Amino acid sequence: MPETAAERATEKKGLSLQYQMLVGFLVGLIGGLIVHVSAPGAPWVEAVTTYVTGPIGQIFLRLLFMLVIPLLFSALVVGISEMGEIRSLKRVGLRTLGYTIIVSTIAVIVSLVVVNLLQPGNGVDPVLARSMLADAEAGARAIIDRGAETPSGMSAVVGIVPDNVVGAMGSNAAILSVMFFALFFGIGVMLTDTPNARALKAGIEGLFEVTMRLIGIVIRLAPLAVACFMFNLAALFGWDLLVRLSAFVGVVLLALAIQMFVVFPLLLKFAGGKSPIAFFRETQEASVMAFSTASSNATLPTSLRVADEMLGLPRRVARFVLTIGATANQNGTAMFEGVTVLFLAQFFGVELSLWQQVMVMLVCILGGIGTAGVPAGSLPVVALILGMVGVPPEGIGLVLGVDRFLDMCRTTLNVIGDLVAAQVISAGEPAEVEVAGT
């Protein structure tokens, strides 16, 4: 605690981390746009992004991913073991499941209404789109091949239970398996009231604290990494791709904005007992981190700290909801996948009935649960769904150019949605249980 207080005192003397990241974001974006306008296609620009800004951003992400598995495991085990009894875990778990189903249903309705009203697939120039498709053919084929390797149906359900925990920890695609093991292990720790079990719990809590300390050190690189991410995006692509696919980008952003600024504030106000303005102000750091990294997993440490220090949520509830939500509660990813599939169906002239569209959105929600929380993790799911409804999977090449930007936006919605869920579920927890849990 003394170190945390010292960090806070130091932070107050200068810009807080979220404002440092915002400065890095603006510097990278403006610098990248200037380079894109003044020296488009220059060899030195590619050299800088390949050998300087690109590696810096990747090293930052790899440092975070290196710590995500021990953080996720320890946070979930400690959060479950602190529930005190199965009844408390059952209550929080059922509330989390119910919340996810309700909010996901709202996301489905919002996406269907927006994409059918605005028909973005009918406004794209076919000649331009097919030339872009040819340019992105190699990237699209790689995504399709990766999607073919992704388990689906009953094999995906069986795959949630790991046969090798160590192997699962080494794969982004097996993150659900790691969570299952942590959930199972946490229940075991909660049910075993022996000196050794209590010592083990203390050790895992120590692992959580050490991991958070290391992540705190890594996060200090965030402003530089954010500047590098935005420079790469702006210098290589500028706004050209956004303009050329403006109808598609606009519909995705509109659907995400409705969920973020209409649905979430209503949930906060009436179910979470929290002022939406105060909530968004207190979660700025998580928003900037999510937007910059385009990774729910990389943002999880920041979300846990924001829930604890800024929102003041019960740790046992926040740890459970946020670690589960980082993989299972992905409204933004589901909305993007659904709108993308319907957009490409419109473009290729594939007529989908309302029931087929609803089924597409439901599959997107279920697919989002197993989507790796890393940049571009949802694209293999999109490729699988395209083939399922008779749309050429190669069509995913149309959106590859703007995916990074939209990935940043939908990840922000995913992360804020997890924090909204933690706020709502914490508000429904009995006061005396919260005291016992802390």
Side-chain angles (χ1 to χ4, degrees), residues 16-84:
S16 61
L17 182 60
Q18 62 261 37
Y19 288 113
Q20 292 178 30
M21 288 193 292
L22 184 59
V23 170
F25 174 86
L26 294 174
V27 169
L29 178 62
I30 294 171
L33 288 175
I34 291 173
V35 168
H36 182 76
V37 172
S38 60
W44 68 267
V45 176
E46 185 176 354
V48 169
T49 56
T50 302
Y51 298 108
V52 182
T53 54
I56 290 175
Q58 287 304 310
I59 288 172
F60 174 74
L61 280 181
R62 290 173 76 92
L63 285 170
L64 287 178
F65 289 145
M66 176 181 71
L67 298 169
V68 159
I69 290 296
L71 173 68
L72 188 150
F73 174 78
S74 59
L76 198 51
V77 170
V78 172
I80 291 170
S81 63
E82 287 181 347
M83 292 290 176

Side-chain angles (χ1 to χ4, degrees), residues 90-376:
K90 180 181 177 182
R91 183 179 61 250
V92 173
L94 289 176
R95 284 172 56 81
T96 303
L97 177 62
Y99 172 90
T100 301
I101 291 173
I102 292 171
V103 177
S104 298
T105 301
I106 295 172
V108 167
I109 295 172
V110 169
S111 300
L112 286 176
V113 170
V114 171
V115 78
N116 280 289
L117 281 179
L118 299 180
Q119 298 282 320
N122 295 334
V124 180
D125 180 2
V127 176
L128 174 61
R130 295 193 187 284
S131 68
M132 292 174 64
L133 184 59
D135 293 340
E137 184 176 358
R141 176 54 54 190
I143 295 295
I144 294 166
D145 293 341
R146 183 150 50 104
E149 299 171 359
T150 304
S152 59
M154 189 53 65
S155 61
V157 175
V158 173
I160 293 176
V161 182
D163 58 355
N164 184 344
V165 175
V166 176
M169 289 182 175
S171 171
N172 280 322
I175 196 73
L176 276 179
S177 299
V178 177
M179 293 174 66
F180 178 87
F181 175 72
L183 178 67
F184 203 59
F185 195 86
I187 292 173
V189 172
M190 180 176 63
L191 295 176
T192 308
D193 188 18
T194 65
N196 287 337
R198 288 193 290 270
L200 176 61
K201 177 184 173 183
I204 295 175
E205 201 159 341
L207 174 64
F208 175 81
E209 293 170 357
V210 169
T211 306
M212 286 297 289
R213 169 59 59 190
L214 292 175
I215 286 171
I217 295 172
V218 174
I219 288 295
R220 294 181 183 276
L221 299 174
L224 175 61
V226 168
C228 292
F229 287 137
M230 294 313 301
F231 179 85
N232 289 353
L233 183 69
L236 294 179
F237 299 112
W239 298 114
D240 295 349
L241 282 170
L242 298 182
V243 172
R244 293 198 297 186
L245 284 175
S246 57
F248 168 68
V249 172
V251 168
V252 174
L253 293 182
L254 177 59
L256 297 179
I258 292 173
Q259 190 79 355
M260 176 77 86
F261 300 114
V262 177
V263 176
F264 286 170
L266 290 175
L267 288 169
L268 288 167
K269 183 70 175 177
F270 296 107
K274 179 78 173 181
S275 164
I277 295 175
F279 176 87
F280 285 119
R281 182 178 64 248
E282 292 164 358
T283 56
Q284 287 179 56
E285 185 179 333
S287 298
V288 175
M289 179 63 74
F291 187 80
S292 305
T293 62
S295 169
S296 300
N297 288 346
T299 312
L300 179 58
T302 304
S303 298
L304 288 166
R305 187 158 57 82
V306 166
D308 182 27
E309 297 180 6
M310 303 302 295
L311 298 177
L313 302 180
R315 291 184 179 181
R316 61 183 183 82
V317 177
R319 289 174 183 176
F320 178 83
V321 175
L322 292 176
T323 50
I324 293 290
T327 297
N329 184 34
Q330 299 201 34
N331 293 160
T333 298
M335 296 174 82
F336 164 79
E337 291 171 356
V339 171
T340 300
V341 171
L342 297 182
F343 161 76
L344 292 173
Q346 291 171 1
F347 172 75
F348 285 107
V350 178
E351 293 288 338
L352 299 179
S353 66
L354 181 60
W355 174 245
Q356 287 177 307
Q357 293 182 35
V358 171
M359 290 304 297
V360 165
M361 295 305 299
L362 291 177
V363 171
C364 288
I365 290 172
L366 294 175
I369 291 176
T371 298
V374 297

